[in-house]
Amino acid sequence: MSGGAIYQEALRVLRRLGLPEAAERDVVAALEAAQPGPLALLYEAGMEAGLARETLLIRGAGIFLSFAAGNLADDLSDGDCTYYAHPLRVGPYVQFLLQNLAWSTLARAQVPEEVLAEAARGLAEAAGPQALEVRTQAWTAPLFRRVAEGLAGQQWASYLRLLWAGTPLADRSVAGHGLGIAAHVAEDIRSRDPRFFSMPEADQREVVRWARAGMDGVRRQRLRCLDAALRRIDPILPEVVP
């Protein structure tokens, strides 16, 4: 079993809906665009937490469906939704479908009600900084950090909270905050995103130092799954070190 097994479970959840063929194709396109996303981490973190296979698959699928909904929303906001011929006509209904399917899936994943409520609230709050991003003309380190705190840090902490609910790692989901921020910064560097590279070099260095400090906190958790995720990020962040 691997992250691919979680993706296949998400496809099974989708196909049980019996959607029109065109709708299923549209949703699969959004799922493909969201790969690999958190799939590897979800698998590794679920295994390390001792989740049973069935529980890991259904929780992982629900989280990945939510991630795909958020990824689609971000692509629509940024004008990066290139996988639909008419993104503004197709994207909104797919995002609505994915978000509802995610919570329907998580509701049958043996996640306590209070964890579902707190995670949903956390993800709603995480979306708020998108309002700053879509209005920003000139990026600075403080603004970059504020946006990343929500869109990446809070999002990933919520996902680990959902995945690890009721396990020995439940109280350590806050580690997702530092991991999400580091992944966010690394992806901006890897993709040459103007959000990062339009900042003055001093601001770029400040953001990288901030991300690295968060990574140090994640390492202190001494969890194999988080260390594996950090190893995927490590080679990218040094590229802008003076």
Side-chain angles (χ1 to χ4, degrees):
M1 190 173 70
S2 66
I6 294 175
Y7 183 74
Q8 291 302 315
E9 179 66 19
L11 291 179
R12 284 191 289 271
V13 169
L14 169 65
R15 286 166 181 156
R16 283 196 289 267
L17 291 178
L19 298 173
E21 185 178 344
E24 188 170 300
R25 284 199 307 270
D26 289 341
V27 177
V28 169
L31 295 178
E32 290 285 344
Q35 288 200 82
L39 287 171
L41 173 61
L42 291 174
Y43 165 67
E44 293 160 0
M47 291 293 290
E48 190 162 357
L51 287 174
R53 181 179 188 275
E54 182 179 355
T55 303
L56 193 162
L57 287 180
I58 196 66
R59 289 188 185 184
I63 293 166
F64 181 68
L65 289 165
S66 177
F67 176 85
N71 185 71
L72 174 55
D74 186 62
D75 283 350
L76 289 168
S77 292
D78 294 344
D80 294 334
C81 187
T82 58
Y83 35 96
Y84 300 130
H86 304 286
L88 295 183
R89 295 175 62 185
V90 175
Y93 96 79
V94 174
Q95 195 231 328
F96 184 67
L97 188 158
L98 283 169
Q99 199 68 66
N100 284 288
L101 186 58
W103 292 106
S104 171
T105 303
L106 289 165
R108 59 186 181 85
Q110 300 178 324
V111 179
E113 181 178 340
E114 63 274 14
V115 175
L116 285 173
E118 291 168 6
R121 179 183 177 87
L123 290 171
E125 292 172 345
Q130 186 76 17
L132 303 177
E133 178 169 11
V134 299
R135 291 170 170 82
T136 295
Q137 300 298 317
W139 285 91
T140 63
L143 180 58
F144 187 103
R145 290 176 58 170
R146 186 174 179 189
V147 170
E149 287 271 3
L151 295 183
Q154 194 162 348
Q155 180 180 182
W156 282 74
S158 294
Y159 289 155
L160 287 184
R161 182 162 178 75
L162 289 165
L163 183 69
W164 285 344
T167 76
L169 301 183
D171 293 335
R172 301 168 77 175
S173 61
V174 68
H177 187 269
L179 180 63
I181 286 169
H184 178 82
V185 176
E187 177 57 21
D188 273 10
I189 294 171
R190 186 201 65 78
S191 63
R192 306 293 300 179
D193 196 299
R195 178 172 52 198
F196 182 87
F197 284 98
S198 65
M199 292 189 296
E201 290 186 7
D203 289 59
Q204 293 178 25
R205 290 193 292 270
E206 179 182 336
V207 165
V208 170
R209 285 194 296 269
W210 173 60
R212 285 177 167 171
M215 290 171 68
D216 290 341
V218 175
R219 288 190 179 94
R220 286 195 288 272
Q221 296 293 325
R222 299 186 182 279
L223 294 173
R224 293 188 306 277
C225 59
L226 301 184
D227 288 342
L230 291 177
R231 284 195 296 272
R232 293 188 281 268
I233 295 169
D234 262 331
I236 302 173
L237 291 184
E239 292 182 10
V240 293
V241 176

